[in-house]
């Protein structure tokens, strides 16, 4: 009887330790669905990034509308393969987690196995993602969008360094957003 109780207790501890590890290995990011824009270039002069990374979609739940939400939610889990930018916020920081999850995948057209470039911002000193447009499908780490965004990040988000990439961003539907930031830089001179 002692052996059975001991075995049960060991299994219980191992299961709980495993669950705690998997939860701490996943970065949960809130969806700021009420923000008017989403994507890699938001705000009049360019909102600062808090986290940018490349990953692969590992799972997607079925979309659903709950009584407490004002939007259709679809949870997704993405492996974090390469971090391009991270910022420590007062209430959150990236601590080497292997996975990212958020619930803004509805109508994104993405599927499990897709490589993605994800751009997060901050809201009330927490990481946030303003919508599915902030999750860009890419071909991999050498995708032209990744190269362009890397230049943008290393220049402290100076839009002038990617001005020549405007047609690339126009193809993805973000040309007007980038133009807005470039125009703001001209006005601020």
């Amino acid at each position: 009887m002692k052996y059975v109780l001991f075995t049960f207790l060991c299994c219980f501890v191992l299961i709980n330790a495993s669950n705690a590890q998997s939860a701490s290995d996943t970065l949960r990011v809130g969806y700021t669905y009420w923000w008017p824009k989403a994507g890699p270039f938001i705000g009049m002069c360019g909102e600062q990034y808090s986290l940018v990374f490349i990953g692969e979609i590992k799972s997607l739940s079925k979309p659903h509308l709950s009584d407490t939400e004002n939007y259709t939610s679809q949870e997704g889990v993405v492996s974090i393969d390469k971090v391009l930018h991270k910022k420590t916020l007062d209430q959150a920081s990236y601590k080497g987690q292997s996975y990212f999850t958020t619930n803004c995948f509805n109508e994104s057209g993405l599927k499990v196995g897709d490589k993605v470039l994800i751009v997060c911002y901050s809201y009330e000193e927490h990481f946030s993602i303003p919508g599915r447009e902030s999750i860009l499908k890419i071909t991999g780490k050498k995708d032209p969008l990744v190269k362009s965004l890397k230049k943008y990040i290393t220049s402290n988000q100076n839009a002038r360094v990617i001005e020549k990439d405007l047609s690339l961003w126009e193809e993805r539907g973000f040309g007007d957003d980038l133009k807005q930031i470039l125009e703001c830089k001209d006005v601020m001179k």
Side-chain angles (χ1 to χ4, degrees), residues 46-90:
E47 188 73 28
Q48 291 292 304
Y49 300 149
S50 63
L51 180 66
V52 180
F53 67 92
I54 298 167
E56 181 179 324
I57 298 176
K58 295 298 184 183
S59 69
L60 292 169
S61 70
K62 295 205 180 296
H64 71 280
L65 179 64
S66 79
D67 295 335
T68 59
E69 298 170 333
N70 295 324
Y71 61 94
T72 300
S73 173
Q74 184 178 18
E75 191 81 23
V77 176
V78 178
S79 63
I80 299 174
D81 298 335
K82 181 173 173 100
V83 174
L84 303 178
H85 175 76
K86 63 182 178 177
K87 181 178 176 182
T88 299
L89 306 172
D90 287 346

Side-chain angles (χ1 to χ4, degrees), residues 28-46:
R28 171 98 180 117
V29 174
Y31 175 17
T32 46
Y33 63 88
W34 60 90
W35 284 14
K37 294 286 279 181
F41 309 110
I42 65 171
M44 295 298 290
C45 294

